[in-house]
Amino acid sequence: MAVEVRIPTILRTYTGGAKTVDGSGGTLAEVIDSVESSNPGIKSRLLEGEDLRRFINVYVNDEDVRFLSGLDTTVTDGDVVVVLPAVAGGQTAR
Amino acid sequence: MLRIGREVYDEIVAHARRDHPDEACGIVAGAAGGDEPTRFVPMTNAERSPTFFRFDATEQLKVWRELDDRDEVPVVIYHSHTATAAYPSRTDIGLAAEPDAHYVLVSTAECGNGAGPVEFRSFRIVDGIVTEEEIDIHQ
């Protein structure tokens, strides 16, 4: 099943500059694996171990996957996955 | 060099004073391909914290979509430090993900919510390297 994955500027070095790439799979985790197979290296920028990186936001059809099922979120044909690095910081480390 | 209009400058400073002692954050959008911050967009600090900020993720998606629709980019990404200097912290540097943006920091350590002096500085943050830049405020 084909889904569109939108890539933020800072990760386009992994996609040859492309703003969107095609992915496939029944869950977000599978889509990320399919994107990794054609754009090696990108997965490690999205995941840390078995989880999404804390400061990477991923949305499926405009819903933050943290409010869905995270990497287990179901994805179907025609869905749109958006990746956005969080804008965050602050005066002390945490 | 950051060139910024007086009105936009004043809006950033007013937001920082208003939210003190929590960190304030937001962007100033401008036309893609230009370097002129024109549209002030204050954002919700989802952390509501005096030591940390994070754009609310749902609001960020909405605002980023508007940028795309308007062919704009976040020319300025600003936030305040409420107890320390207006200089990027290690956290700020590690999380900076927009190499084309001007990172503006405002310190309200001296003025708090009041009308006293603020520190207003601008930086580029690329691959972990911080470079301060001059600021030209115009009418």
Side-chain angles (χ1 to χ4, degrees), chain A residues 42-54:
Chain A
I42 199 166
K43 182 177 175 178
S44 69
R45 299 293 301 274
L46 303 178
L47 304 193
E48 189 161 29
E50 299 295 303
D51 292 313
L52 276 176
R53 286 184 177 273
R54 185 157 167 239

Side-chain angles (χ1 to χ4, degrees), chain B residues 86-122:
Chain B
Y87 190 87
S89 67
R90 269 172 46 199
T91 316
D92 295 335
I93 297 164
L95 295 176
E98 296 284 350
D100 298 325
H102 301 268
Y103 282 89
V104 164
L105 278 100
V106 177
S107 173
T108 53
E110 194 175 341
C111 67
N113 298 118
V118 294
E119 198 185 3
F120 188 108
R121 297 166 72 178
S122 183

